[in-house]
């Protein structure tokens, strides 16, 4: 299964949607490089469309997303009257089509650190994977959201209505992403989320890989693989980032001594805290605090 992987922020943006019919013997129009993503969901009948070397047969309760930079063409006429919802959306940030053969193995090691910019609270991007072609888990729920979008269309010139459209669109993306979840993927994500929850609850304590494994009843290597896949780092690095993030809050919001802050966020030694902070933020805790101090 091919996935469209979108880096967020920025969020994908809803443009327009509608409900179309294709008569028996008719076909979806051929188009090239329309510059927006085209989501199509069949509610009755079936239509047939191609994108380069891919061919899609989109039946009832199925969805396909056509890319903005490719040629789309009908591969066959409809054998019966067919109805489809359609939706155009724009992705302002990075995105990539990922095919199963192109998905690399997840390494256990963390990637080499990059030079960090000085920011009080850095925005941490994440990715959303939505299948290019899928069978919806709950098609009726998806149809309901599309109907709500259509009801809003006559008042789309009102800012509050446009905001409501964007919220409904995010629900559509969430449903599409959920439709691609396999039991294996769900288990992997559940393990990573349990590990992250445990680390967040116990970040002030000394947590070892063995202890984490015992608490979650999973092998530490499996936990590491799951967290690497879901969060892009090992449990140890996740814990360090969490502690340093909490330390940044205390450095900005309090006048507590740095050694006290180190203990407050789980570091037994101030020197190790300073080294870890400097590695992740590119400057010492003291320099970080001074960076945002008021200068008269």
């Amino acid at each position: 299964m091919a996935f469209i992987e979108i880096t967020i922020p920025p969020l994908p943006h809803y443009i327009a949607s509608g409900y179309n019919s294709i008569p028996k013997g008719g076909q979806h129009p051929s188009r090239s490089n329309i510059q927006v993503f085209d989501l199509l969901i069949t509610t009755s009948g079936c239509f047939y469309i191609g994108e380069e070397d891919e061919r899609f047969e989109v039946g009832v309760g199925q969805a396909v997303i056509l890319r903005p930079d490719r040629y789309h063409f009908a591969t066959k006429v409809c054998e019966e009257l067919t109805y489809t919802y359609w939706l155009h959306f724009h992705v302002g940030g990075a995105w990539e089509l990922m095919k199963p053969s192109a998905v690399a193995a997840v390494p256990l090691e963390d990637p080499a650190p990059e030079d960090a910019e000085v920011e009080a609270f850095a925005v941490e991007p994440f990715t959303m994977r939505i299948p290019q072609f899928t069978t919806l888990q709950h098609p009726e729920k998806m149809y309901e959201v599309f109907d709500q979008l259509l009801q809003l269309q006559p008042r789309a010139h009102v800012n509050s209505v446009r905001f409501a459209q964007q919220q409904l669109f995010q629900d559509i993306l969430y449903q599409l992403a959920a439709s691609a979840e396999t039991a294996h993927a769900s288990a992997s994500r559940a393990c990573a989320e349990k590990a992250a929850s445990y680390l967040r609850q116990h970040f002030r304590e000394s947590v070892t890989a063995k202890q984490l494994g015992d608490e979650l009843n999973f092998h530490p290597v499996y936990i590491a693989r799951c967290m690497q896949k879901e969060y892009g780092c090992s449990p140890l690095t996740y814990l360090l980032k969490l502690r340093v993030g909490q330390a940044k809050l205390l450095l900005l919001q309090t006048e507590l001594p740095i050694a006290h802050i180190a203990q407050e966020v789980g570091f037994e030694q101030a020197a190790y805290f300073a080294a870890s902070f400097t590695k992740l933020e590119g400057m010492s805790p003291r320099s970080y605090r001074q960076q945002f101090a008021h200068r008269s």
Side-chain angles (χ1 to χ4, degrees):
M1 178 186 296
F3 288 86
I4 296 171
E5 185 173 88
I6 302 171
T7 301
I8 301 172
L11 286 169
H13 187 80
Y14 168 84
I15 299 175
S17 60
Y19 191 57
N20 281 351
S21 64
I22 306 175
K24 180 179 179 179
Q27 61 186 29
H28 190 278
S30 300
R31 296 171 298 183
S32 180
N33 299 315
I34 64 173
Q35 300 181 15
V36 294
F37 284 93
D38 190 5
L39 166 63
L40 298 158
I41 297 176
T42 302
T43 64
S44 177
C46 183
F47 75 94
Y48 310 84
I49 197 162
E51 181 180 89
E52 293 194 333
D53 57 343
E54 298 290 342
R55 303 293 183 269
F56 303 104
E57 182 176 320
V58 190
V60 176
Q62 293 184 318
V64 65
I65 300 177
L66 304 177
R67 295 173 56 178
D69 57 348
R70 291 294 184 266
Y71 172 53
H72 313 126
F73 52 93
T75 59
K76 183 180 175 181
V77 299
C78 294
E79 299 175 353
E80 58 184 311
L81 177 61
T82 298
Y83 288 93
T84 64
Y85 287 110
W86 61 268
L87 186 150
H88 291 164
F89 67 94
H90 174 68
V91 174
W95 66 272
E96 180 182 4
L97 180 69
M98 302 186 66
K99 297 187 176 182
S101 58
V103 178
V106 179
L108 277 177
E109 298 79 12
D110 293 322
E114 300 178 355
D115 293 336
E117 295 183 5
V118 180
E119 298 179 357
F121 300 100
V123 175
E124 296 187 9
F126 62 95
T127 58
M128 168 179 277
R129 278 190 176 185
I130 53 177
Q132 185 177 26
F133 176 77
T134 188
T135 298
L136 301 172
Q137 286 186 344
H138 305 287
E140 294 299 330
K141 184 177 179 181
M142 181 70 85
Y143 303 160
E144 181 181 341
V145 177
F146 265 90
D147 287 339
Q148 292 179 53
L149 279 173
L150 295 180
Q151 291 171 12
L152 292 175
Q153 191 61 38
R155 297 185 293 124
H157 59 285
V158 180
N159 282 338
S160 60
V161 173
R162 295 176 65 184
F163 184 71
Q165 288 177 319
Q166 299 302 326
Q167 291 178 302
L168 290 170
F169 174 53
Q170 302 310 317
D171 187 15
I172 288 173
L173 291 180
Y174 179 82
Q175 290 191 48
L176 287 172
S179 71
E181 289 284 1
T182 63
H184 175 73
S186 297
S188 173
R189 176 170 297 179
C191 174
E193 290 178 349
K194 286 181 180 179
S197 295
Y198 182 84
L199 293 174
R200 286 183 173 276
Q201 293 173 22
H202 300 273
F203 72 91
R204 294 184 177 88
E205 306 167 14
S206 177
V207 181
T208 64
K210 183 181 183 305
Q211 180 184 347
L212 186 61
D214 291 342
E215 290 291 339
L216 271 61
N217 200 27
F218 286 119
H219 195 283
V221 173
Y222 177 71
I223 296 174
R225 288 190 181 278
C226 292
M227 292 203 70
Q228 183 73 48
K229 179 180 178 181
E230 297 298 328
Y231 299 109
C233 63
S234 67
L236 175 59
T237 299
Y238 186 92
L239 181 60
L240 285 175
K241 288 182 176 180
L242 181 60
R243 287 171 171 171
V244 168
Q246 294 297 313
K248 288 166 67 176
L249 290 174
L250 293 176
L251 287 167
L252 285 173
Q253 298 174 357
T254 75
E255 297 298 328
L256 292 173
I258 291 176
H260 182 91
I261 290 176
Q263 293 182 346
E264 182 68 21
V265 299
F267 288 94
E268 295 181 0
Q269 299 179 351
Y272 180 49
F273 164 63
S276 299
F277 191 102
T278 302
K279 180 180 178 181
L280 291 178
E281 297 299 322
M283 62 174 59
S284 69
R286 188 176 304 279
S287 296
Y288 180 86
R289 172 176 270 173
Q290 293 173 347
Q291 182 76 20
F292 303 99
H294 174 69
R295 295 178 175 83
S296 56

